[in-house]
Amino acid sequence: MQHRIIVLGAGYTGAIAAGRLAKRLHREDVAVTLVNAEPDFVERVRMHQLATGQDLKPRPFSEMFAGTGVELRLAKVTGVDVDRKTVAVVDANGAEELAYDTLVYALGSGWNAQDVPGAAEHAYEIASRPGALRLRERLARLDAGQTVVVVGGGLTGLEAATEIAEARPDLDVALAVGGGLGDWLSPKGREHLRKVFRTLGITVHEHAAVTGVEAGRVTTADGAAIPAAVTVWTTGFAVHPIAKATALEVTGTGQIVVDGTMRSVSHPDVYAIGDAAMAMGPGNKPLRMSCASGTPAAWQAAGAIAARLTGGKLPNVPIRYFNQCISLGRKEGLIQYVTADDRSVRAVLTGRLAAVYKELVCKGAAWGVANPTFGLPTRRRRVTRERAVAGSVVKEPA
């Protein structure tokens, strides 16, 4: 019988893992199924562009995975039973259970309202395509002079504020951050960020933790009220809740605890990648939720699964950081170089060249999904079956 590999979620990490597995393992030995609710790939790193009216290139999975051996199952995941090794899904034909031998959990994350009163009811999010499209429609109806407040000073907040200000110079765009503007960046990085914000006319409210959101304003911890015809919420991500409802070992935030090969520490037939995983990086620090972490994690997991199934050598490539790439509209950018454990160093790249750099990174990430082996020749290996005998592992030909 074929070894059944199910990959849940077709974001950057899930799509890459599915493609690499299909191209590394012999089709007679494995069946790779990719479960996703939408029929085409969502470039999540471009949602701020979608929200401001830019049209993104369609990337249908049916075309991306043609000829790879990956079976695409369009369905919503509703549950996982790691003891019975099944996944519950719902599609146009109703509910069904899918059985697996190896599970790759890549359901990712969504926006996090942080339990702030009114945020879920009144704020817009750009962590998903539906959210970005809702914001797009709302921004299109705003009259000149109305205020848009972006809450959150991380990468998503910086990119959203600058993209909106550049696309709609007639609006009054503001950014509310809990600390200082770009306070994790190097001095040169902070200086450039402030310069771009001044050029775009963005008002910055620093040390202004938002504690409430209403239809026409946000309120901060010090009692101040900031007018907001539209509030855009970008204060971090929350992982999909399904894992927390299983017997998997998870963190308090619901991330699946994994080892260096992205394998669950509690259930060895489950791998977690991307935002759904709690993996440790350089300096024994948790990897942050990002494409920069998720893509190499997908490579690591696919390589480990293939190695364990075929008796090959396990990959042992530490996941490390090199830079943080920030688009500041279509004409400006900021590349902050960092240490392996993601601490900023003095070196930065700014201006138009940085914008081109970031654009190439985004295009490269999408290309990597469609070409999971980076154009290398296909090397499909035969699977061996493993069984435990008196505490040892015996390998037999498939």
Side-chain angles (χ1 to χ4, degrees):
M1 292 180 64
Q2 288 180 306
H3 186 92
R4 299 162 298 181
I5 302 175
I6 293 181
V7 182
L8 303 183
Y12 290 96
T13 60
I16 287 173
R20 289 174 82 88
L21 285 166
K23 290 190 176 183
R24 278 162 170 71
L25 298 170
H26 204 284
R27 293 184 187 179
E28 292 182 8
D29 300 337
V30 298
V32 180
T33 302
L34 179 60
V35 182
N36 198 61
E38 297 188 64
D40 56 343
F41 176 64
V42 176
E43 289 188 84
R44 188 168 176 179
V45 296
R46 295 189 187 273
M47 289 300 96
H48 55 288
Q49 295 177 239
L50 184 63
T52 54
Q54 299 171 52
D55 293 325
L56 305 183
K57 178 182 178 180
R59 298 181 183 276
F61 287 123
S62 58
E63 296 178 8
M64 295 172 69
F65 287 104
T68 65
V70 174
E71 178 189 352
L72 179 63
R73 179 66 186 271
L74 296 179
K76 179 181 179 180
V77 179
T78 58
V80 175
D81 189 327
V82 292
D83 296 321
R84 295 176 53 239
K85 299 176 70 170
T86 59
V87 176
V89 300
V90 174
D91 61 14
N93 297 318
E96 186 180 349
E97 278 193 343
L98 308 178
Y100 66 83
D101 298 301
T102 297
L103 180 70
V104 181
Y105 188 103
L107 290 179
S109 64
W111 76 308
N112 188 357
Q114 306 284 0
D115 294 324
V116 172
E121 294 80 9
H122 301 295
Y124 290 80
E125 53 94 1
I126 55 172
S128 67
R129 180 161 52 189
L133 289 173
R134 284 193 292 270
L135 176 58
R136 175 182 177 134
E137 189 275 334
R138 182 69 183 94
L139 290 175
R141 291 188 287 110
L142 284 182
D143 295 327
Q146 290 191 281
T147 300
V148 176
V149 175
V150 179
V151 180
L155 303 187
T156 305
L158 299 181
E159 293 190 331
T162 51
E163 200 76 43
I164 294 170
E166 182 184 85
R168 290 291 305 273
D170 59 319
L171 297 177
D172 182 3
V173 180
L175 178 71
V177 298
L181 178 64
D183 54 9
W184 77 93
L185 298 169
S186 66
K188 287 184 179 180
R190 292 195 298 272
E191 180 183 352
H192 183 71
L193 187 62
R194 290 185 182 279
K195 175 185 175 182
V196 173
F197 269 59
R198 286 194 300 269
T199 301
L200 291 173
I202 301 171
T203 302
V204 181
H205 301 275
E206 298 183 89
H207 307 289
V210 173
T211 55
V213 181
E214 299 175 31
R217 67 176 188 171
V218 300
T219 55
T220 62
D222 61 3
I226 303 173
V230 171
T231 300
V232 184
W233 196 266
T234 69
T235 62
F237 303 111
V239 299
H240 201 290
I242 285 180
K244 201 168 186 177
T246 70
L248 290 164
E249 181 175 336
V250 299
T251 66
T253 58
Q255 289 178 293
I256 300 170
V257 182
V258 297
D259 63 17
T261 65
M262 303 300 122
R263 193 183 203 180
S264 164
V265 298
S266 62
H267 291 73
D269 47 14
V270 176
Y271 292 74
I273 52 179
D275 293 355
M278 172 52 72
M280 305 307 290
N284 203 35
K285 293 168 59 176
L287 296 174
R288 62 180 165 89
M289 294 183 180
S290 66
C291 192
S293 305
T295 296
W299 300 338
Q300 192 93 315
I305 293 169
R308 287 186 169 116
L309 289 176
T310 62
K313 183 179 179 180
L314 284 174
N316 185 25
V317 181
I319 297 176
R320 58 152 297 165
Y321 297 100
F322 297 94
N323 51 46
Q324 294 182 8
C325 304
I326 311 170
S327 66
L328 302 173
R330 295 299 88 204
K331 301 175 183 178
E332 272 281 1
L334 171 60
I335 309 302
Q336 174 65 67
Y337 294 97
V338 299
T339 60
D341 63 349
D342 210 27
R343 290 176 290 114
S344 296
V345 298
R346 292 182 62 186
V348 297
L349 182 66
T350 62
R352 179 63 180 169
L353 187 57
V356 172
Y357 187 114
K358 173 62 187 289
E359 178 63 20
L360 290 174
V361 168
C362 293
K363 288 182 177 179
W367 187 90
V369 172
N371 301 272
T373 56
F374 293 92
L376 297 175
T378 297
R379 296 185 297 274
R380 293 192 176 93
R381 290 172 285 176
R382 300 307 299 258
V383 171
T384 60
R385 302 201 184 281
E386 297 182 351
R387 59 186 177 88
V389 179
S392 63
V393 174
V394 175
K395 296 179 180 177
E396 302 173 342

Short mmCIF file of all heavy atoms in Angstrom, two decimals, residues 12 16-17 19-20 23-24 291 294-300 302 360-361 363-379:
data_model
loop_
_atom_site.label_atom_id
_atom_site.label_comp_id
_atom_site.label_asym_id
_atom_site.label_seq_id
_atom_site.Cartn_x
_atom_site.Cartn_y
_atom_site.Cartn_z
N TYR A 12 2.70 29.34 1.84
CA TYR A 12 4.08 29.16 1.39
C TYR A 12 4.65 27.83 1.86
O TYR A 12 5.22 27.07 1.08
CB TYR A 12 4.96 30.31 1.92
CG TYR A 12 4.67 31.64 1.29
CD1 TYR A 12 3.82 32.56 1.90
CD2 TYR A 12 5.25 32.00 0.07
CE1 TYR A 12 3.55 33.79 1.31
CE2 TYR A 12 4.99 33.22 -0.52
CZ TYR A 12 4.14 34.13 0.11
OH TYR A 12 3.87 35.33 -0.47
N ILE A 16 5.13 24.36 -0.53
CA ILE A 16 6.52 23.98 -0.79
C ILE A 16 6.78 22.55 -0.32
O ILE A 16 7.38 21.74 -1.03
CB ILE A 16 7.48 24.96 -0.09
CG1 ILE A 16 7.48 26.30 -0.82
CG2 ILE A 16 8.90 24.39 -0.02
CD1 ILE A 16 8.26 27.39 -0.11
N ALA A 17 6.32 22.22 0.89
CA ALA A 17 6.54 20.88 1.43
C ALA A 17 5.90 19.81 0.55
O ALA A 17 6.50 18.77 0.25
CB ALA A 17 6.00 20.78 2.85
N GLY A 19 5.14 19.88 -2.67
CA GLY A 19 5.84 19.74 -3.93
C GLY A 19 7.17 19.02 -3.79
O GLY A 19 7.51 18.15 -4.60
N ARG A 20 7.91 19.36 -2.75
CA ARG A 20 9.21 18.72 -2.55
C ARG A 20 9.06 17.23 -2.23
O ARG A 20 9.86 16.39 -2.68
CB ARG A 20 9.98 19.44 -1.44
CG ARG A 20 10.45 20.81 -1.85
CD ARG A 20 11.07 21.57 -0.69
NE ARG A 20 12.45 21.19 -0.45
CZ ARG A 20 13.51 21.75 -1.04
NH1 ARG A 20 13.34 22.71 -1.93
NH2 ARG A 20 14.73 21.38 -0.73
N LYS A 23 8.27 15.27 -5.39
CA LYS A 23 9.39 15.17 -6.32
C LYS A 23 10.56 14.36 -5.77
O LYS A 23 11.51 14.06 -6.49
CB LYS A 23 9.85 16.57 -6.73
CG LYS A 23 8.84 17.28 -7.63
CD LYS A 23 9.41 18.55 -8.21
CE LYS A 23 8.40 19.18 -9.17
NZ LYS A 23 8.94 20.39 -9.83
N ARG A 24 10.50 14.02 -4.50
CA ARG A 24 11.59 13.25 -3.90
C ARG A 24 11.24 11.78 -3.68
O ARG A 24 12.12 10.95 -3.49
CB ARG A 24 11.99 13.87 -2.56
CG ARG A 24 12.94 15.05 -2.73
CD ARG A 24 12.99 15.92 -1.47
NE ARG A 24 14.07 16.89 -1.57
CZ ARG A 24 14.05 17.95 -2.39
NH1 ARG A 24 13.01 18.15 -3.16
NH2 ARG A 24 15.07 18.79 -2.43
N CYS A 291 7.74 34.34 6.73
CA CYS A 291 8.12 33.55 5.57
C CYS A 291 9.59 33.15 5.66
O CYS A 291 9.98 32.08 5.21
CB CYS A 291 7.87 34.37 4.30
SG CYS A 291 7.95 33.43 2.77
N GLY A 294 9.42 30.10 7.82
CA GLY A 294 8.58 29.02 7.31
C GLY A 294 9.14 28.29 6.12
O GLY A 294 9.05 27.05 6.03
N THR A 295 9.74 29.01 5.18
CA THR A 295 10.26 28.36 3.97
C THR A 295 11.36 27.36 4.29
O THR A 295 11.28 26.19 3.86
CB THR A 295 10.72 29.40 2.95
OG1 THR A 295 9.60 30.18 2.54
CG2 THR A 295 11.35 28.74 1.74
N PRO A 296 12.41 27.74 5.03
CA PRO A 296 13.42 26.72 5.35
C PRO A 296 12.88 25.61 6.24
O PRO A 296 13.36 24.47 6.18
CB PRO A 296 14.53 27.52 6.06
CG PRO A 296 13.90 28.79 6.48
CD PRO A 296 12.82 29.07 5.49
N ALA A 297 11.87 25.90 7.06
CA ALA A 297 11.25 24.85 7.86
C ALA A 297 10.55 23.83 6.96
O ALA A 297 10.56 22.63 7.23
CB ALA A 297 10.26 25.45 8.85
N ALA A 298 9.92 24.31 5.89
CA ALA A 298 9.28 23.40 4.93
C ALA A 298 10.31 22.52 4.24
O ALA A 298 10.09 21.32 4.05
CB ALA A 298 8.49 24.20 3.90
N TRP A 299 11.44 23.11 3.85
CA TRP A 299 12.52 22.31 3.26
C TRP A 299 12.98 21.24 4.24
O TRP A 299 13.19 20.08 3.88
CB TRP A 299 13.71 23.19 2.90
CG TRP A 299 13.44 24.28 1.92
CD1 TRP A 299 12.42 24.34 1.01
CD2 TRP A 299 14.21 25.47 1.74
NE1 TRP A 299 12.49 25.50 0.29
CE2 TRP A 299 13.58 26.21 0.71
CE3 TRP A 299 15.35 25.98 2.34
CZ2 TRP A 299 14.08 27.45 0.27
CZ3 TRP A 299 15.85 27.21 1.91
CH2 TRP A 299 15.22 27.92 0.90
N GLN A 300 13.15 21.66 5.51
CA GLN A 300 13.65 20.75 6.53
C GLN A 300 12.69 19.58 6.75
O GLN A 300 13.10 18.42 6.81
CB GLN A 300 13.85 21.52 7.84
CG GLN A 300 14.64 20.79 8.91
CD GLN A 300 16.12 21.13 8.83
OE1 GLN A 300 16.69 21.15 7.76
NE2 GLN A 300 16.72 21.39 9.96
N ALA A 302 10.26 18.40 4.73
CA ALA A 302 10.16 17.53 3.55
C ALA A 302 11.39 16.64 3.44
O ALA A 302 11.28 15.44 3.15
CB ALA A 302 10.00 18.37 2.29
N LEU A 360 12.03 41.39 -5.46
CA LEU A 360 12.65 40.15 -5.90
C LEU A 360 12.45 39.04 -4.87
O LEU A 360 12.26 37.87 -5.23
CB LEU A 360 14.14 40.37 -6.16
CG LEU A 360 14.49 41.22 -7.39
CD1 LEU A 360 15.99 41.47 -7.45
CD2 LEU A 360 14.01 40.56 -8.67
N VAL A 361 12.49 39.39 -3.58
CA VAL A 361 12.25 38.41 -2.53
C VAL A 361 10.83 37.86 -2.63
O VAL A 361 10.60 36.65 -2.54
CB VAL A 361 12.49 39.04 -1.14
CG1 VAL A 361 11.96 38.12 -0.04
CG2 VAL A 361 13.98 39.30 -0.93
N LYS A 363 8.86 37.83 -5.29
CA LYS A 363 8.73 37.01 -6.50
C LYS A 363 9.43 35.67 -6.33
O LYS A 363 8.95 34.63 -6.78
CB LYS A 363 9.32 37.76 -7.70
CG LYS A 363 8.47 38.93 -8.18
CD LYS A 363 9.09 39.59 -9.40
CE LYS A 363 8.18 40.70 -9.92
NZ LYS A 363 8.77 41.38 -11.11
N GLY A 364 10.58 35.70 -5.65
CA GLY A 364 11.31 34.46 -5.42
C GLY A 364 10.55 33.49 -4.53
O GLY A 364 10.58 32.28 -4.74
N ALA A 365 9.85 34.04 -3.52
CA ALA A 365 9.07 33.20 -2.62
C ALA A 365 7.95 32.50 -3.38
O ALA A 365 7.70 31.30 -3.20
CB ALA A 365 8.50 34.02 -1.48
N ALA A 366 7.26 33.25 -4.26
CA ALA A 366 6.18 32.65 -5.06
C ALA A 366 6.73 31.64 -6.06
O ALA A 366 6.13 30.58 -6.28
CB ALA A 366 5.41 33.75 -5.79
N TRP A 367 7.88 31.95 -6.65
CA TRP A 367 8.51 31.00 -7.58
C TRP A 367 8.90 29.72 -6.87
O TRP A 367 8.79 28.63 -7.42
CB TRP A 367 9.74 31.65 -8.21
CG TRP A 367 10.36 30.83 -9.30
CD1 TRP A 367 10.07 30.88 -10.63
CD2 TRP A 367 11.39 29.84 -9.15
NE1 TRP A 367 10.85 29.98 -11.32
CE2 TRP A 367 11.67 29.33 -10.45
CE3 TRP A 367 12.10 29.33 -8.07
CZ2 TRP A 367 12.62 28.35 -10.67
CZ3 TRP A 367 13.05 28.35 -8.28
CH2 TRP A 367 13.31 27.86 -9.57
N GLY A 368 9.35 29.85 -5.62
CA GLY A 368 9.73 28.68 -4.85
C GLY A 368 8.56 27.74 -4.58
O GLY A 368 8.73 26.52 -4.50
N VAL A 369 7.35 28.30 -4.44
CA VAL A 369 6.16 27.47 -4.26
C VAL A 369 5.89 26.67 -5.52
O VAL A 369 5.60 25.47 -5.48
CB VAL A 369 4.94 28.35 -3.90
CG1 VAL A 369 3.67 27.51 -3.89
CG2 VAL A 369 5.14 29.00 -2.54
N ALA A 370 5.98 27.35 -6.67
CA ALA A 370 5.69 26.69 -7.94
C ALA A 370 6.81 25.75 -8.40
O ALA A 370 6.58 24.86 -9.21
CB ALA A 370 5.43 27.74 -9.01
N ASN A 371 8.02 25.98 -7.86
CA ASN A 371 9.18 25.17 -8.25
C ASN A 371 9.90 24.69 -7.00
O ASN A 371 10.98 25.20 -6.67
CB ASN A 371 10.12 25.99 -9.13
CG ASN A 371 9.45 26.50 -10.39
OD1 ASN A 371 9.42 25.84 -11.41
ND2 ASN A 371 8.89 27.71 -10.32
N PRO A 372 9.30 23.75 -6.27
CA PRO A 372 9.79 23.40 -4.93
C PRO A 372 11.17 22.77 -4.89
O PRO A 372 11.79 22.74 -3.83
CB PRO A 372 8.74 22.42 -4.41
CG PRO A 372 8.08 21.88 -5.63
CD PRO A 372 8.08 23.01 -6.61
N THR A 373 11.69 22.28 -6.02
CA THR A 373 13.06 21.74 -6.00
C THR A 373 14.02 22.70 -6.69
O THR A 373 15.13 22.32 -7.04
CB THR A 373 13.12 20.36 -6.68
OG1 THR A 373 12.61 20.48 -8.00
CG2 THR A 373 12.35 19.33 -5.90
N PHE A 374 13.59 23.95 -6.88
CA PHE A 374 14.45 24.98 -7.45
C PHE A 374 15.04 24.58 -8.80
O PHE A 374 16.18 24.86 -9.11
CB PHE A 374 15.58 25.35 -6.47
CG PHE A 374 15.09 26.01 -5.23
CD1 PHE A 374 14.79 25.27 -4.11
CD2 PHE A 374 14.89 27.38 -5.20
CE1 PHE A 374 14.31 25.88 -2.96
CE2 PHE A 374 14.41 28.01 -4.06
CZ PHE A 374 14.12 27.26 -2.94
N GLY A 375 14.21 23.88 -9.59
CA GLY A 375 14.64 23.53 -10.93
C GLY A 375 15.61 22.38 -11.03
O GLY A 375 16.08 22.04 -12.11
N LEU A 376 15.94 21.75 -9.91
CA LEU A 376 16.87 20.63 -9.93
C LEU A 376 16.21 19.39 -10.52
O LEU A 376 14.98 19.25 -10.47
CB LEU A 376 17.37 20.33 -8.51
CG LEU A 376 18.17 21.45 -7.83
CD1 LEU A 376 18.49 21.04 -6.40
CD2 LEU A 376 19.45 21.74 -8.59
N PRO A 377 16.98 18.47 -11.06
CA PRO A 377 16.38 17.23 -11.61
C PRO A 377 15.63 16.46 -10.54
O PRO A 377 16.01 16.46 -9.37
CB PRO A 377 17.61 16.44 -12.10
CG PRO A 377 18.68 17.46 -12.28
CD PRO A 377 18.43 18.51 -11.24
N THR A 378 14.54 15.84 -10.94
CA THR A 378 13.76 15.04 -10.01
C THR A 378 14.56 13.80 -9.61
O THR A 378 15.11 13.11 -10.45
CB THR A 378 12.44 14.61 -10.66
OG1 THR A 378 11.68 15.79 -10.95
CG2 THR A 378 11.64 13.71 -9.73
N ARG A 379 14.60 13.55 -8.30
CA ARG A 379 15.32 12.37 -7.80
C ARG A 379 14.38 11.61 -6.87
O ARG A 379 14.43 11.79 -5.65
CB ARG A 379 16.60 12.79 -7.05
CG ARG A 379 17.61 13.49 -7.94
CD ARG A 379 18.90 13.76 -7.17
NE ARG A 379 18.69 14.66 -6.06
CZ ARG A 379 18.70 15.98 -6.19
NH1 ARG A 379 18.92 16.53 -7.36
NH2 ARG A 379 18.52 16.75 -5.14
#
